[in-house]
Amino acid sequence: MGDYADLPGVRTWYETEGAGDPLVLLHGGFCTNETWGAQRGDLAARYRVFLPERRAHGHTPDVEGPLSYRDMADDTVAFLEKVVGSPAHLVGWSDGGIVALLVALERPDLVRKVVAIGTNFRPSPECFVEPAMLDAMTPGSPDLEFFREMYEPVTPDGVDHWPVVAAKVIDMWRTQPALTPQDLGRIAAPTLVMVGDDDMMTLEHTAALYGAIPGSQLAVVPGASHLAPLEKPALVNQLILDHLARPMAETMLPIRRAVPSGPSG
């Protein structure tokens, strides 16, 4: 069951299930909560799971003007304050991962831990394995048919609004996000960066994301694409649960996480 929350930026649809510490699932671009189907049961068995659908996605209406990740992050902050009511873990996939990183930067007091799956911190053309992929995406292209079929049955804006939303999201991808390694270096929440070994994001870009966030952990899911949570749900779910449940990683031969020794003498 779902309900609407009247947030300052947009009337936002969300669902909840489970019990325990709060965990917010942030879906990908063009997606709905439907895409979290393989994660909901495992995560709700241990956490109180909240699933908001962002502006112009799923049951949540579009807004006037262009879409931006920062506005979506502001919506998420408002959701955490008004609906969740306490700091929460954020698990974001693709665009949802970008939103999670922005919230962790802007409101660290509201974020416990972060999982960012298939996430970029620069505009898509800079980090796609095939940058021309974005040029082939148009509201009527076959590449977006899967997403259109999810959008049309639930949108409050009507099926004829799809071309408007599709164009807005693609425009957003061309120029956003615009984070720097220095920005990412301010993220304090323990973060797991996860990616499929055949993701649309380059492994080099993912490694740069991992390298920029202090103390972060990296998981490359073998035999998986940008849809790793659908393709390898058991492994992805276990990685998420392990990260959320355990304290900071301790290894026998730390290099990146080694504690600097003080001066001798």
Side-chain angles (χ1 to χ4, degrees):
M1 294 293 293
D3 197 0
Y4 280 100
D6 290 317
L7 305 181
V10 63
R11 190 167 188 251
T12 297
W13 172 265
Y14 71 98
E15 299 167 55
T16 59
E17 63 182 289
D21 291 338
L23 186 163
V24 178
L25 291 178
L26 300 168
H27 59 73
F30 288 130
C31 292
T32 70
N33 288 339
E34 180 182 347
T35 53
W36 287 119
Q39 280 66 55
R40 293 176 65 152
D42 285 353
L43 299 183
R46 302 193 191 181
Y47 295 93
R48 177 64 170 167
V49 178
F50 294 81
L51 301 98
E53 291 182 332
R54 293 188 301 281
R55 53 176 62 195
H57 290 73
H59 299 74
T60 299
D62 192 13
V63 296
E64 292 294 328
L67 295 174
S68 79
Y69 291 115
R70 293 204 175 273
D71 286 344
M72 293 177 181
D74 289 343
D75 295 340
T76 305
V77 167
F79 181 81
L80 287 165
E81 291 180 329
K82 182 170 183 177
V83 179
V84 179
S86 67
H89 301 300
L90 304 183
V91 178
W93 181 2
S94 194
D95 277 9
I98 297 169
V99 172
L101 295 178
L102 287 171
V103 174
L105 277 168
E106 295 171 10
R107 290 295 304 273
D109 57 307
L110 293 176
V111 180
R112 299 177 67 172
K113 290 188 178 183
V114 172
V115 179
I117 306 169
T119 298
N120 53 301
F121 64 93
R122 299 293 301 167
S124 296
E126 295 183 26
C127 53
F128 273 10
V129 174
E130 297 181 2
M133 179 189 303
L134 202 59
D135 295 330
M137 290 184 184
T138 63
S141 67
D143 291 337
L144 297 185
E145 183 68 15
F146 171 77
F147 301 106
R148 183 184 65 77
E149 291 178 353
M150 276 197 296
Y151 174 86
E152 290 185 349
V154 297
T155 176
D157 295 319
V159 298
D160 293 339
H161 196 66
W162 165 252
V164 176
V165 166
K168 283 185 178 187
V169 172
I170 294 167
D171 287 346
M172 181 175 68
W173 288 351
R174 291 186 186 280
T175 59
Q176 302 174 42
L179 295 171
T180 66
Q182 291 72 30
D183 294 328
L184 297 171
R186 295 189 288 109
I187 293 177
T191 300
L192 172 64
V193 175
M194 192 187 308
V195 68
D197 64 357
D198 191 21
D199 202 284
M200 66 172 62
M201 307 302 169
T202 68
L203 289 174
E204 291 80 6
H205 184 81
T206 300
L209 174 62
Y210 157 69
I213 300 175
S216 61
Q217 298 180 57
L218 174 65
V220 179
V221 180
S225 71
H226 194 61
L227 304 181
L230 296 176
E231 297 163 338
K232 294 290 185 74
L235 177 55
V236 167
N237 295 357
Q238 191 59 54
L239 289 168
I240 293 171
L241 290 168
D242 285 351
H243 173 65
L244 298 184
R246 295 184 181 183
M248 189 66 70
E250 294 184 6
T251 54
M252 296 176 66
L253 187 61
I255 303 296
R256 183 170 176 263
R257 300 186 186 91
V259 177
S261 57
S264 59

